[in-house]
Amino acid sequence: QVHLVESGGGLVQAGGSLRLSCAFTGIIASISIMGWYRQAPGKQREVVASILSNGRTNHVDSVKGRFAISRDNIENTLSLPMNSLKPDNTPGYYCAAVIKTNWRRGYGSWGQGTQITVSS
């Protein structure tokens, strides 16, 4: 069992920065891939960035060069520094994890989400 808790959301002006954090607890060794998703009201949740156990990362094209997913295996946190924020980056953000023993489900563990609001 893995429990995820996001934090770091808030209000920021366009062009500003925020750093999202996801603390994960439980059977840490069971986690393989971790990722950040975003979801705007009425829209489907979509992956923003992911990171493998070996540290390899992937970011959706729209955030490349501005967001940078990372995982701290000492503090057991997943981070998403977000720079040059735009109003389009406003939706809620969720961290998620793929569990090794149930990888066919994809991202099966989810946090409750954290909201960001980017003003013009």
Side-chain angles (χ1 to χ4, degrees):
Q1 183 180 8
V2 176
H3 183 60
L4 310 172
V5 180
E6 302 95 336
S7 63
L11 175 65
V12 64
Q13 293 184 348
S17 301
L18 286 174
R19 184 183 181 90
L20 303 184
S21 181
C22 173
F24 48 92
T25 59
I27 308 175
I28 306 303
S30 70
I31 300 174
S32 58
I33 304 170
M34 298 196 73
W36 284 99
Y37 277 71
R38 63 187 176 190
Q39 185 173 30
K43 300 291 185 178
Q44 185 176 13
R45 190 173 298 182
E46 63 175 348
V47 65
V48 176
S50 61
I51 184 168
L52 276 61
S53 298
N54 63 8
R56 184 169 67 86
T57 63
N58 184 59
H59 297 78
V60 68
D61 288 344
S62 62
V63 306
K64 287 182 178 178
R66 299 189 297 116
F67 297 4
I69 189 172
S70 65
R71 175 176 172 174
D72 187 333
N73 293 322
I74 302 301
E75 299 295 330
N76 291 333
T77 56
L78 182 73
S79 298
L80 187 69
M82 304 184 295
N83 300 314
S84 301
L85 285 164
K86 308 172 182 179
D88 289 345
N89 300 137
T90 297
Y93 284 75
Y94 302 80
C95 63
V98 176
I99 307 303
K100 294 177 181 178
T101 56
N102 200 18
W103 60 269
R104 291 179 177 85
R105 291 184 59 192
Y107 289 97
S109 297
W110 295 87
Q112 294 299 307
T114 185
Q115 182 71 36
I116 69 167
T117 302
V118 183
S119 61
S120 300

